[in-house]
């Protein structure tokens, strides 16, 4: 499975560079959600690209989630094991705290999106899983809400209706990043689409009594979503500099 995902174990024959120094290295304590260990290996191109994109989240995720530049950064990931370990085990955010990222595996990530001002989810975070399958970057990653949310375009199991993300998926290029998709979800917080709803009872309420819908969505967020004080008690946590 690791091989399919481009995250293979180091093999002396093809993973180590000529200038790798193996002596006098103290192994890190095993730990973290993905069991990082001190090894010296070359990251395959897909993994290196994904790590670079996640590290550059502040540049790639713009105002209210819109992407400043949807294409992948040109600078490759080249920060060594210690920084790679930190990226994969330490949550980080963009500078204004609208987006928080954490890894659950080399190609499995989670993004916490803060509800925009003016929306019923304002100030509360919802976790969204991002699965970068073996088809990525040829195909976009698979997104799914992990935090329960009251929204007509999100099913109770977290699946997102095709409509809100349709345009991003149709225009997807292998040079694109996940951040325009996350930006679309931020917009979805403010503008639910009853036409492509996956929860008919909520779309019916939105059509008949928008005020009641918004009040219910806000109350549900206060009960189930995550506050900023709980998620970022010390404020935004920017990724380290390469």
């Amino acid at each position: 499975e690791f091989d399919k995902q481009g995250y293979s174990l180091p093999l002396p024959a093809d993973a180590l560079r000529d200038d790798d120094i193996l002596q006098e290295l103290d192994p890190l304590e095993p730990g973290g959600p993905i069991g990082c260990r001190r090894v010296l290996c070359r990251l395959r191109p897909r993994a290196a690209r994904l790590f670079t994109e996640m590290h550059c989240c502040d540049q790639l995720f713009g105002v209210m989630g819109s992407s400043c530049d949807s294409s992948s950064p040109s600078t490759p990931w080249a920060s060594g094991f210690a920084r790679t370990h930190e990226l994969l085990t330490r949550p980080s955010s963009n500078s204004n705290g609208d987006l928080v990222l954490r890894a659950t595996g080399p190609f499995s990530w989670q993004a916490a999106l803060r509800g925009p001002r003016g929306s019923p989810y304002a100030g509360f975070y919802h976790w969204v899983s991002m699965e970068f399958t073996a088809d990525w970057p040829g195909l976009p990653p698979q997104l799914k809400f992990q935090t329960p949310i009251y929204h007509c375009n999100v099913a109770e199991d977290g699946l997102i209706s095709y409509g809100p993300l349709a345009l991003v998926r149709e225009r997807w290029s292998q040079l694109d990043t996940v951040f325009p998709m996350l930006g679309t979800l931020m917009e979805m917080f403010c503008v639910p689409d009853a036409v492509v709803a996956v929860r008919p009872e909520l779309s019916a309420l939105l059509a008949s009594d928008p005020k009641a819908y918004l009040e219910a969505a806000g109350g549900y967020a206060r009960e189930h979503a995550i506050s900023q004080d709980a998620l970022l008690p010390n404020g935004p946590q920017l990724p380290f500099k390469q």
Side-chain angles (χ1 to χ4, degrees), residues 21-194:
I21 300 175
L22 300 179
Q23 292 80 13
E24 300 180 359
L25 291 177
D26 295 326
L28 294 178
E29 289 294 327
I34 59 176
C36 286
R37 300 177 184 275
R38 181 175 287 272
V39 294
L40 291 178
C41 64
R42 281 179 175 174
L43 289 173
R44 293 191 176 183
R46 291 174 67 250
R49 169 181 166 169
L50 182 56
F51 294 175
T52 302
E53 292 177 1
M54 294 304 171
H55 179 265
C56 296
C57 65
D58 198 40
Q59 297 95 302
L60 296 173
F61 193 74
V63 178
M64 211 192 86
S66 60
S67 177
C68 297
D69 180 3
S70 64
S71 60
S72 183
S74 57
T75 304
W77 181 258
S79 286
F81 176 82
R83 290 293 175 85
T84 301
H85 179 273
E86 186 175 352
L87 179 74
L88 293 174
T89 57
R90 172 183 173 269
S92 59
S93 71
N94 67 339
S95 56
N96 63 15
D98 282 346
L99 172 70
V100 179
L101 297 172
R102 68 184 180 192
T104 56
F107 289 88
S108 298
W109 290 71
Q110 292 180 330
L113 301 175
R114 181 167 60 185
R117 293 180 182 178
S119 75
Y121 319 98
F124 290 95
Y125 288 88
H126 292 79
W127 284 108
V128 176
S129 66
M130 303 181 290
E131 295 294 331
F132 297 83
T133 67
D135 295 320
W136 177 86
L139 294 178
Q142 299 173 357
L143 307 187
K144 182 179 179 181
F145 275 87
Q146 299 295 308
T147 304
I149 183 171
Y150 189 98
H151 198 291
C152 65
N153 299 124
V154 182
E156 292 187 60
D157 61 359
L159 291 177
I160 304 163
S161 67
Y162 183 79
L165 294 174
L167 187 60
V168 178
R169 287 170 172 160
E170 290 170 2
R171 295 181 176 179
W172 178 264
S173 159
Q174 64 178 358
L175 298 179
D176 289 337
T177 71
V178 70
F179 296 103
M181 299 181 74
L182 297 178
T184 298
L185 296 186
M186 294 283 281
E187 296 170 2
M188 191 182 75
F189 284 148
C190 298
V191 187
D193 188 346

Side-chain angles (χ1 to χ4, degrees), residues 178-228:
V178 70
F179 296 103
M181 299 181 74
L182 297 178
T184 298
L185 296 186
M186 294 283 281
E187 296 170 2
M188 191 182 75
F189 284 148
C190 298
V191 187
D193 188 346
V195 176
V196 291
V198 292
R199 298 169 72 176
E201 72 283 4
L202 299 191
S203 63
L205 179 60
L206 176 62
S208 63
D209 193 342
K211 183 178 179 181
Y213 175 93
L214 295 176
E215 290 177 350
Y220 199 86
R222 288 189 292 272
E223 182 178 355
H224 296 280
I226 308 160
S227 69
Q228 179 169 335

